[in-house]
Amino acid sequence: MKTTAATTATMIGMADTMVGGTVHFWADCSTNRLRSGTMKSARLGQLGCYAIVLLTTLAPASAQSVDRAEIEKIVREYLVQNPEIIEDALTELESRRLAAQAEVRSQAILAETDSLYRTKDDVVLGNPDGDAALVEFFDFNCGYCKRAAPDVEALVAEDPKLRIVLKDFPILGPGSVEAAKVALSVKRIAGDAAARDFHVRLMGMRGQINANRALDLTEEMGLDRVKLSEEMATPAVEAIIASNLALAQRLGLTGTPSFVVGDQIIEGAVGKEPLADAIKAVRQK
């Protein structure tokens, strides 16, 4: 049986359905490096699904009634003789997965415009009335967030029309939650300027961050530690963190830092230039 473009597309679609349409990987905080064992298993699973679909599509009806051993033999022989078609199929499957993910995220970003850009609870760096916005989901204990911090500061320094919205996304343990509560309390008690200063200084600190270290910093800044401690325990602060976590889930975020620019999400400490390019693209639309 001769394969056509339509037949191949159908087979790829069937294989895509068999593996659930997506591949889920575990990733370390904010890196784009996947754990090779999981990725390899996923790709092997895709390969097996595709091989079965390929066989049942290309083989005559009578071949579908043979026993398991015969099917395995035919599949193996076909794959050995035509290995390139499997690689082509896997490439197409991955391309479709990424395209589908990007589309879902784009629609989610559009639906969450107010939650992303128009809440009064977030710290804003740069120009509050800027003509372009970058949203960063971060954790004070994320090493990659600390690595990305100089890039974020450089963007602010070089682009006077840029607005950067900072979303506390404490996913790395109790210390991260405590630090986020202090940061939010600083904004609520001491205002925007103090909150910006606190964020930059705390992000620049080495080692594990928790409530005590964060509150020590507030004292160095001349702020009222007692009032901030009381504010940390309020339902309002708890609600802000819960809202950010829920928003991140709706956007499909799994690590920090994650940046939202226009209708796309950029994950990881990718450096200044990719972020600047994305901001430029938003302005050109």
Side-chain angles (χ1 to χ4, degrees):
M1 177 180 176
K2 183 178 180 180
T3 60
T4 64
T7 302
T8 302
T10 299
M11 291 188 292
I12 292 172
M14 291 171 65
D16 193 27
T17 300
M18 293 178 70
V19 295
T22 60
V23 181
H24 300 283
F25 304 112
W26 289 101
D28 292 332
C29 168
S30 181
T31 70
N32 292 318
R33 295 174 297 170
L34 305 176
R35 295 182 183 175
S36 60
T38 304
M39 184 175 182
K40 182 178 180 181
S41 297
R43 288 177 65 84
L44 287 175
Q46 287 179 309
L47 186 150
C49 289
Y50 181 78
I52 293 170
V53 173
L54 183 67
L55 176 67
T56 56
T57 303
L58 295 180
S62 59
Q64 298 181 30
S65 63
V66 299
D67 61 23
R68 180 184 180 88
E70 185 64 20
I71 291 176
E72 291 176 350
K73 179 181 177 182
I74 295 171
V75 170
R76 184 181 185 284
E77 290 176 353
Y78 187 86
L79 295 181
V80 170
Q81 294 171 10
N82 303 276
E84 66 283 347
I85 196 170
I86 299 301
E87 187 65 30
D88 291 343
L90 291 176
T91 299
E92 176 64 17
L93 283 171
E94 180 66 4
S95 176
R96 291 188 180 198
R97 184 189 73 82
L98 293 175
Q101 181 187 65
E103 178 60 24
V104 169
R105 284 183 163 183
S106 177
Q107 293 301 317
I109 291 170
L110 182 62
E112 301 292 345
T113 298
D114 287 344
S115 297
L116 282 167
Y117 302 108
R118 298 171 186 157
T119 64
K120 66 181 185 302
D121 304 308
D122 302 315
V123 174
V124 175
L125 303 179
N127 187 342
D129 301 313
D131 64 356
L134 171 74
V135 180
E136 180 188 3
F137 286 78
F138 71 94
D139 185 306
F140 281 114
N141 280 311
C142 169
Y144 295 96
C145 297
K146 295 179 185 294
R147 182 183 299 177
D151 297 323
V152 172
E153 293 172 25
L155 288 172
V156 171
E158 297 171 10
D159 189 341
K161 294 184 178 181
L162 177 63
R163 177 174 181 255
I164 296 182
V165 180
L166 301 174
K167 293 278 187 184
D168 285 276
F169 185 31
I171 58 175
L172 298 178
S176 295
V177 175
E178 292 170 2
K181 288 182 177 180
V182 176
L184 292 168
S185 298
V186 169
K187 178 175 171 61
R188 293 171 64 84
I189 296 295
D192 294 332
R196 287 191 291 270
D197 186 29
F198 176 84
H199 174 86
V200 172
R201 293 173 64 173
L202 191 63
M203 191 59 74
M205 292 174 61
R206 295 175 178 269
Q208 186 72 16
I209 306 298
N210 54 26
N212 284 334
R213 293 195 70 194
L215 288 170
D216 287 346
L217 175 58
T218 65
E219 283 193 310
E220 292 176 18
M221 296 171 57
L223 303 179
D224 190 324
R225 183 178 186 133
V226 174
K227 284 186 177 180
L228 291 171
S229 297
E230 292 173 350
E231 185 65 26
M232 287 173 60
T234 62
V237 170
E238 294 276 3
I240 295 169
I241 292 176
S243 177
N244 285 353
L245 292 173
L247 173 60
Q249 184 176 29
R250 293 195 297 272
L251 294 174
L253 306 184
T254 58
T256 53
S258 291
F259 299 93
V260 179
V261 191
D263 62 355
Q264 68 173 310
I265 293 171
I266 300 175
E267 297 174 303
V270 296
K272 185 185 75 171
E273 293 308 318
L275 297 176
D277 289 344
I279 293 165
K280 181 179 179 180
V282 169
R283 287 188 168 125
Q284 292 175 341
K285 288 185 178 181

